[in-house]
Amino acid sequence: MFDLAVFGSLFLTLFVIMDPPGITPIFLALTSGRPAKVQRRMAWQAVAVAFGVITVFGILGQQILGYLHVSVPALMIAGGLLLLLIALDLLTGKTDEPKQTKDVNVALVPLGMPLLAGPGAIVSVILAVQHAKGVSQQISVWAAIAAMHVVLWLTMRYSLLIIRVIKDGGVVLVTRLAGMMLSAIAVQQIINGVTQVIRGS
């Protein structure tokens, strides 16, 4: 009733795309300055949003994209532009939004989507669900998705210990580093989307 090969293949694919170690400095930068309780809640919210988005696209992905006439490259470019805006805020230090608004935005955007549930993860899940044959492979696919989100939550949840060690000065450094990393991810995502558009034309 369980296909270990399917589970391992999708889990590794999602691990590379969603990159739990790489998300750590970005999460720390976006949640710095908040009480530990709020940070833990935001980690949970971000993972819940990502899991919800991935689940919806896993079940109805092709129908949604087809109905909206949205191509995968367009999704990649839009996600890249959104990430680039967030990256510029981190690099310039312009993250002084009202606290309540900022809490909601960080958990939903960019953490939940498109950082965690980005175009690459969405497309991988859509293809995995389509190619899964029989109940055992379907179970394996969804088990891999669930396991990946547990790993993401654990990574973000326990990365908060780092903030206690590096203090305020370290948080500023992590914020700038996260902005640089995020801008590179965003530009690469835009390049990948444009490349696919050119190849398809």
Side-chain angles (χ1 to χ4, degrees):
M1 287 295 292
F2 191 83
D3 193 318
L4 190 59
V6 171
F7 174 89
S9 175
L10 181 57
F11 182 85
L12 289 175
T13 300
L14 291 177
F15 190 92
V16 171
I17 293 172
M18 301 176 95
D19 190 17
I23 205 70
T24 298
I26 298 172
F27 175 74
L28 292 177
L30 292 172
T31 61
S32 64
R34 295 178 174 82
K37 183 178 179 181
V38 174
Q39 291 173 320
R40 289 193 293 269
R41 188 179 74 237
M42 290 171 67
W44 169 251
Q45 287 175 340
V47 171
V49 168
F51 184 74
V53 171
I54 291 290
T55 299
V56 169
F57 276 94
I59 297 172
L60 301 170
Q62 279 207 323
Q63 292 89 331
I64 293 173
L65 294 180
Y67 178 77
L68 297 175
H69 304 290
V70 173
S71 65
V72 172
L75 192 65
M76 296 179 72
I77 294 170
L81 290 173
L82 179 59
L83 290 181
L84 190 57
L85 290 175
I86 303 296
L88 292 175
D89 279 347
L90 291 176
L91 284 170
T92 58
K94 295 178 181 177
T95 55
D96 49 353
E97 308 173 52
K99 186 177 178 184
Q100 287 186 339
T101 304
K102 192 177 177 185
D103 283 354
V104 174
N105 285 344
V106 168
L108 304 181
V109 178
L111 281 176
M113 183 179 182
L115 270 178
L116 299 181
I122 288 172
V123 171
S124 298
V125 168
I126 290 174
L127 293 177
V129 171
Q130 282 184 337
H131 294 155
K133 299 175 181 177
V135 176
S136 63
Q137 290 193 359
Q138 287 288 344
I139 291 173
S140 303
V141 164
W142 290 104
I145 294 169
M148 185 67 247
H149 284 80
V150 170
V151 170
L152 286 167
W153 177 76
L154 289 172
T155 302
M156 290 190 291
R157 168 69 176 78
Y158 290 101
S159 68
L160 297 175
L161 298 174
I162 297 174
I163 290 181
R164 300 176 187 174
V165 177
I166 62 178
K167 307 297 182 183
D168 291 343
V171 168
V172 173
L173 178 62
V174 167
T175 299
R176 300 298 181 266
L177 174 63
M180 186 173 65
M181 291 173 55
L182 194 55
S183 62
I185 293 171
V187 170
Q188 186 62 57
Q189 194 162 296
I190 293 170
I191 291 172
N192 292 344
V194 171
T195 302
Q196 288 193 26
V197 169
I198 294 173
R199 287 177 179 172
S201 59

